[in-house]
Amino acid sequence: MAGKKIIAICQYGGQFEADNNGFLSYHGGDAHAIDVDEGTKFGDFKTEVAEMFSFSVNLMSIKYFLPGNKKTLITISNDKDLQRMIKFLDNSDMVDVYVMMEDAMALEVSNMPASGSSRTTLSEAVVSIDAASLDVIVDTSNPDLQLSAPLDMMDDTGHVGAHIDDISVDISPIVTVMNSSALTSMSEKHAKGAQRWQNAITGEGQRFNSVCEFRDALRKYAIAHQFAFRYKKNDSHRVTVKCKADGCPWRIHASKLATTQLICIKKMNPTHTCEGTDSRNSHQATRSWVASIIKEKLLMFPNYKPKDIVNDIKQEYGIQLNYFQAWRGKEIAKEQLQGSYKEAYSQLPLFCEKIMETNPGSLATFTTKEDSSFHRLFISFHASLHGFQQGCRPLIFLDSMPVKSKYQGMLLAATAVDAEDAVFPVAFAVVDSETVENWHWFLGQLKSALSTLVPLTFVADRLKGLRESIAEIFDGSYHAYCLRYLTEQLMQDLKGQFSHDVKRLIVEDFYAAAYAPRPEGFQQFMESIKSISLDAYQWILQSEPQNWANAFFQGARYNHLASNFGELFYRWVSDAHELPITQMVDVIRGKMMELIYERHRSSALWVTKLTPSMEEKLEEERHKVQDHIQGVVFQAGNVFEVQMGSSEMVDIDRWDCSCKGWQLTGLPCCHALAVICIRRADPYDHCSRYLTAESYRLTYAESINPIPSIERSPGQKKGCLDPTMVIVTPPPTRRPPGRPTTKKSGPQELAKRQLQCSRCKGHGHNKSTCKELLTITQSAVGNQ
């Protein structure tokens, strides 16, 4: 909206907190208001914010939430980002923006996910994160040392048992030498954290709201005072703890107050005669403890890898975790930050309702198996359906990609091309696996969502049951075999027969034959393949060229021969595959929303009839015409012969040229343009409407609306669902931690790997144990 003004409430100094569903809320800090509009420059806005809070402009970042999305913060870093925020908030008069200030040393911390040489350890990241939130203590008497220690021997519920003896937890100071200047700048924050932990336990009579709260306080108290303890009794209503060191009198006993949930310290001997205990064994670190340590950094770096967690915990706390412990800790931290994966599946019924409610005309549906486990989810937004039907060529690409989430799965995608030959998302589905049945179901849902009467052309693999499903569901449509999948299958079937260079030549001729516009050109490249390999030649002839070669294909696919447009979805899924399913879909929705908005905004500035890239292609053909106008010869009716190196026949009324360039691209070829020039006609009247700027704008005319957060109704407890709602549980397949295990060698594998002697070429032994060598040696000794 031109002239739209929005009040930006700039907040600084508070903290973000995530609830069980992963929704972020901001608490505390100061707030000031600034007016922004479409004419506001980001540099001016940032300068005003910096002056307001007395910051350095270079050490400040500004973020905000999209409407209806309280899980993902969007960073404003330039004028384009600022204008996008204003556009997203057209219906609002106010927006909350969050100002984040980095210390000077924080500039040295990598903003990339922790991996390889660019990995940021916890000891480095602590410079830019509140020390208290990371459970770090700095000994203020020695600013060059950072002391920290973990403690947790309980299970995830906080229980060890009613009478557990000799279970010990060691806590000791682990010294990490750090840059003194960095510690000096942060010493005040660290000192406050240490002071708070030292007073976590005050003595007899102190009360806590729960046993878990008492254990947590005890843990931090032990960290602050650098000693280890063991539980003597530990259950839901009483806890008795003593110092681990033999002979040390320190002891504490707490139990539940009658008729309440409060835990009170009944007895405590605060005296220590020991000097603490050093423990660096991984049994100290439970999954919950690891999760609590890494949660803050995982929020900043979602791709924080388990191997880097192992390294960081070792460097920061001196505890050697194994990969599995780090992976489990990361899984718990992710659920605490993002919400439960299991609960996300249970939210699917309501989630689909919200999609269709906020985006009328959309289709969102799901199915479950007999055991109520998740089976399939189909999503197609109204903006995508409208854009495809109004502005895109009747051409759909089908592709699939793996979803590397906690429960794995596959994403099936249907995409189109806009007037700029850029990918346009039409529909997608998340399924438990890629099967013939799932593809058939996906195409059935796509058919019900589309209302077009124009025959469609599908570019897709010929396998996976797609050939039969497309013919059955979309009667009268065309199926163009994806050239990429055909090539992969060809190379697989010819595996081991040829060298890499020979295969490359075969593939080059294969593609050239596919793109050849006329049969004679197709046959020329096939003869080249035949001269290299008769097997490859016969394989290609049997692959039904009428379904993939330009020279024989009957449908219109505008010279697009491969279904690689799914790569856009693949990138989007790669950014979100670690999220629960509803959040992953919402991230894809957000990507689609931003893509539609950006392309709609950019196309508003075009002044040409065709899109920019199509204008360039038309201009290239015009240049070829200038010296060949005299080569146009009238034949009969509206048919002309054009001599431009070769002789081509042009039917101007049927938009047909014997070179096939006009039919394949939708743009008049140089031969057609020569005739159009002679007739003094307008070339734009002979261009496909699907290539015009107007069609492009129609493609991106509708927008995708945000989906409101799915929260439990008032009074509904966690895990308690509406009895009338369909129950959806996670699929049985779950991704194991770490890398996939290698396949164990069976009898066939062992046979393949049988030793072969390099001397006698025999099997079952090598050169050093060769009997032939032994015989030769013995013979030589005897001759001597």
Side-chain angles (χ1 to χ4, degrees):
M1 183 183 301
K4 173 71 175 179
K5 285 190 176 181
I6 295 178
I7 300 175
I9 307 299
C10 305
Q11 304 187 52
Y12 168 73
Q15 297 183 34
F16 282 105
E17 294 182 5
D19 62 14
N20 294 331
N21 294 320
F23 299 112
L24 298 174
S25 58
Y26 194 77
H27 302 281
D30 298 327
H32 297 278
I34 297 178
D35 290 336
V36 294
D37 55 35
E38 293 184 345
T40 303
K41 298 296 183 181
F42 174 69
D44 298 337
F45 176 63
K46 192 171 184 180
T47 300
E48 187 173 354
V49 173
E51 293 175 353
M52 184 181 298
F53 292 106
S54 299
F55 286 162
S56 170
V57 175
N58 296 328
L59 301 180
M60 179 180 66
S61 62
I62 302 175
K63 302 176 182 292
Y64 71 100
F65 287 114
L66 288 175
N69 185 339
K70 290 293 185 180
K71 297 179 181 179
T72 306
L73 283 166
I74 307 298
T75 301
I76 306 174
S77 56
N78 51 44
D79 292 337
K80 184 178 177 181
D81 292 338
L82 184 61
Q83 297 308 313
R84 186 183 296 119
M85 179 190 74
I86 296 173
K87 181 64 178 178
F88 284 151
L89 299 162
D90 264 351
N91 298 324
S92 302
D93 296 323
M94 187 178 302
V95 59
D96 290 321
V97 298
Y98 305 96
V99 183
M100 299 181 182
M101 182 63 181
E102 304 292 345
D103 291 316
M105 287 300 295
L107 294 177
E108 299 179 8
V109 179
S110 173
N111 288 325
M112 298 297 293
S115 63
S117 61
S118 64
R119 178 176 57 79
T120 304
T121 63
L122 284 172
S123 60
E124 294 167 339
V126 74
V127 176
S128 60
I129 301 175
D130 184 8
S133 66
L134 288 178
D135 293 352
V136 178
I137 301 174
V138 171
D139 183 359
T140 55
S141 64
N142 188 348
D144 292 333
L145 297 182
Q146 175 180 310
L147 306 180
S148 58
L151 171 62
D152 196 333
M153 274 298 293
M154 297 174 287
D155 60 16
D156 291 339
T157 63
H159 296 80
V160 176
H163 299 281
I164 305 296
D165 296 329
D166 299 327
I167 295 181
S168 62
V169 181
D170 298 339
I171 295 181
S172 62
I174 309 300
V175 179
T176 303
V177 179
M178 295 182 63
N179 185 295
S180 60
S181 62
L183 286 170
T184 301
S185 64
M186 298 299 294
S187 60
E188 183 178 352
K189 292 183 179 180
H190 287 225
K192 290 180 179 178
Q195 183 64 34
R196 176 169 59 88
W197 292 342
Q198 288 174 352
N199 296 326
I201 300 294
T202 58
E204 296 178 4
Q206 185 180 3
R207 299 180 182 183
F208 302 87
N209 293 324
S210 65
V211 173
C212 292
E213 183 179 319
F214 168 69
R215 293 191 189 106
D216 182 65
L218 181 63
R219 194 176 301 125
K220 291 183 177 180
Y221 177 83
I223 291 174
H225 292 275
Q226 305 170 25
F227 71 95
F229 63 82
R230 67 163 57 97
Y231 287 99
K232 302 299 291 182
K233 295 179 181 179
N234 184 26
D235 54 41
S236 60
H237 60 278
R238 59 180 175 176
V239 179
T240 301
V241 181
K242 68 181 294 295
C243 182
K244 182 182 178 182
D246 293 336
C248 182
W250 185 92
R251 186 181 181 91
I252 191 170
H253 173 76
S255 61
K256 185 180 295 186
L257 293 176
T259 70
T260 72
Q261 296 297 319
L262 297 176
I263 297 295
C264 180
I265 298 178
K266 301 295 182 63
K267 297 180 181 179
M268 178 176 179
N269 184 344
T271 304
H272 276 285
T273 59
C274 64
E275 296 182 357
T277 306
D278 183 25
S279 173
R280 304 187 180 190
N281 296 324
S282 62
H283 69 263
Q284 299 179 54
T286 66
R287 296 173 297 175
S288 297
W289 181 82
V290 174
S292 67
I293 293 298
I294 69 172
K295 184 162 62 174
E296 292 292 337
K297 185 171 183 181
L298 189 63
L299 184 62
M300 299 171 60
F301 305 105
N303 294 325
Y304 195 14
K305 296 181 179 180
K307 67 176 184 179
D308 293 328
I309 294 174
V310 172
N311 293 334
D312 287 341
I313 294 294
K314 174 65 177 178
Q315 178 176 338
E316 185 68 17
Y317 296 95
I319 296 178
Q320 184 64 56
L321 302 178
N322 59 42
Y323 185 95
F324 185 81
Q325 289 172 308
W327 184 86
R328 287 293 187 186
K330 180 182 176 181
E331 291 292 300
I332 293 175
K334 285 197 301 184
E335 291 210 0
Q336 292 174 353
L337 292 171
Q338 303 164 354
S340 169
Y341 291 90
K342 182 177 180 181
E343 188 173 347
Y345 284 101
S346 69
Q347 293 173 343
L348 278 179
L350 183 57
F351 184 70
C352 290
E353 288 182 11
K354 292 294 184 183
I355 289 177
M356 293 188 288
E357 178 183 325
T358 56
N359 293 269
S362 303
L363 178 60
T365 185
F366 68 95
T367 64
T368 60
K369 296 182 179 179
E370 293 181 356
D371 59 357
S372 297
S373 64
F374 172 79
H375 193 189
R376 301 175 287 220
L377 170 68
F378 177 90
I379 305 290
S380 185
F381 291 98
H382 169 69
S384 294
L385 297 172
H386 178 274
F388 172 72
Q389 293 169 153
Q390 296 299 318
C392 289
R393 284 158 274 186
L395 183 63
I396 290 182
F397 303 85
L398 302 178
D399 210 345
S400 62
M401 56 227 65
V403 177
K404 301 175 184 179
S405 65
K406 181 175 182 179
Y407 291 98
Q408 300 186 8
M410 293 293 293
L411 188 138
L412 312 181
T415 55
V417 286
D418 60 26
E420 272 281 83
D421 273 344
V423 61
F424 179 72
V426 178
F428 64 94
V430 181
V431 297
D432 57 348
S433 59
E434 187 177 15
T435 62
V436 174
E437 293 76 15
N438 283 341
W439 268 117
H440 191 276
W441 177 84
F442 175 77
L443 290 172
Q445 299 303 317
L446 183 62
K447 172 70 172 180
S448 64
L450 293 173
S451 59
T452 180
L453 300 177
V454 179
L456 298 176
T457 297
F458 289 89
V459 181
D461 193 359
R462 63 173 178 169
L463 304 178
K464 307 169 186 173
L466 284 170
R467 177 168 52 182
E468 296 76 16
S469 296
I470 291 173
E472 177 184 342
I473 297 173
F474 290 90
D475 186 27
S477 63
Y478 300 93
H479 182 185
Y481 296 163
C482 172
L483 197 59
R484 175 169 58 94
Y485 283 118
L486 279 176
T487 304
E488 291 175 358
Q489 189 176 355
L490 171 62
M491 290 299 99
Q492 183 178 355
D493 291 346
L494 297 180
K495 184 178 181 180
Q497 295 188 26
F498 307 103
S499 66
H500 174 75
D501 290 336
V502 172
K503 287 182 178 180
R504 178 176 56 81
L505 293 176
I506 293 175
V507 171
E508 287 178 358
D509 286 339
F510 186 25
Y511 269 72
Y515 279 97
R518 292 186 282 201
E520 53 268 28
F522 173 86
Q523 190 58 40
Q524 176 185 349
F525 290 109
M526 288 299 297
E527 290 297 326
S528 177
I529 295 174
K530 186 177 181 180
S531 65
I532 299 175
S533 167
L534 183 60
D535 290 340
Y537 174 80
Q538 293 175 343
W539 188 99
I540 294 173
L541 286 183
Q542 294 171 3
S543 65
E544 302 172 295
Q546 67 273 18
N547 287 93
W548 53 265
N550 274 338
F552 309 109
F553 187 70
Q554 297 300 310
R557 55 180 175 173
Y558 298 86
N559 225 21
H560 289 286
L561 277 67
S563 60
N564 53 0
F565 282 90
E567 294 177 0
L568 178 72
F569 270 105
Y570 183 80
R571 292 197 301 270
W572 289 350
V573 172
S574 298
D575 293 340
H577 68 82
E578 293 288 347
L579 298 173
I581 185 169
T582 52
Q583 295 185 41
M584 182 187 73
V585 171
D586 197 45
V587 168
I588 295 176
R589 178 206 58 80
K591 300 279 189 181
M592 293 173 63
M593 179 178 69
E594 186 171 354
L595 179 141
I596 289 175
Y597 166 74
E598 281 297 315
R599 293 181 179 176
H600 172 77
R601 185 186 61 81
S602 62
S603 65
L605 304 176
W606 296 347
V607 294
T608 55
K609 289 186 178 181
L610 301 182
T611 64
S613 65
M614 296 304 163
E615 286 283 352
E616 291 180 6
K617 292 179 180 179
L618 185 62
E619 190 62 29
E620 290 176 3
E621 295 297 316
R622 279 175 172 166
H623 284 310
K624 300 176 184 178
V625 175
Q626 294 175 359
D627 299 329
H628 297 85
I629 299 298
Q630 66 277 11
V632 178
V633 180
F634 175 76
Q635 292 292 326
N638 289 308
V639 178
F640 297 80
E641 179 183 0
V642 182
Q643 297 178 353
M644 296 175 61
S646 62
S647 179
E648 306 292 349
M649 302 301 295
V650 175
D651 188 330
I652 198 69
D653 288 339
R654 296 176 57 188
W655 289 26
D656 182 86
C657 180
S658 58
C659 78
K660 301 300 181 182
W662 198 355
Q663 299 92 309
L664 289 175
T665 64
L667 290 173
C669 59
C670 58
H671 313 105
L673 285 173
V675 175
I676 292 171
C677 183
I678 290 293
R679 300 186 63 185
R680 300 183 183 276
D682 188 351
Y684 294 109
D685 293 338
H686 296 81
C687 296
S688 171
R689 74 171 185 89
Y690 296 117
L691 309 180
T692 63
E694 181 60 27
S695 289
Y696 188 93
R697 295 188 184 99
L698 287 173
T699 301
Y700 299 100
E702 299 289 329
S703 60
I704 297 178
N705 299 321
I707 304 170
S709 301
I710 301 176
E711 299 178 351
R712 292 182 293 274
S713 58
Q716 182 181 359
K717 296 181 179 179
K718 183 177 180 179
C720 297
L721 302 175
D722 185 345
T724 63
M725 189 168 291
V726 177
I727 297 176
V728 185
T729 59
T733 304
R734 178 172 175 174
R735 172 175 57 85
R739 297 179 178 176
T741 56
T742 56
K743 183 179 179 180
K744 295 183 178 180
S745 300
Q748 295 179 351
E749 288 291 323
L750 291 176
K752 292 180 182 179
R753 299 178 186 178
Q754 190 175 13
L755 291 175
Q756 182 178 16
C757 179
S758 61
R759 179 179 295 277
C760 70
K761 307 304 180 183
H763 293 280
H765 65 277
N766 57 22
K767 179 179 178 179
S768 61
T769 58
C770 181
K771 294 180 180 180
E772 181 178 325
L773 176 63
L774 180 61
T775 302
I776 294 174
T777 303
Q778 291 174 345
S779 176
V781 173
N783 291 335
Q784 291 178 352

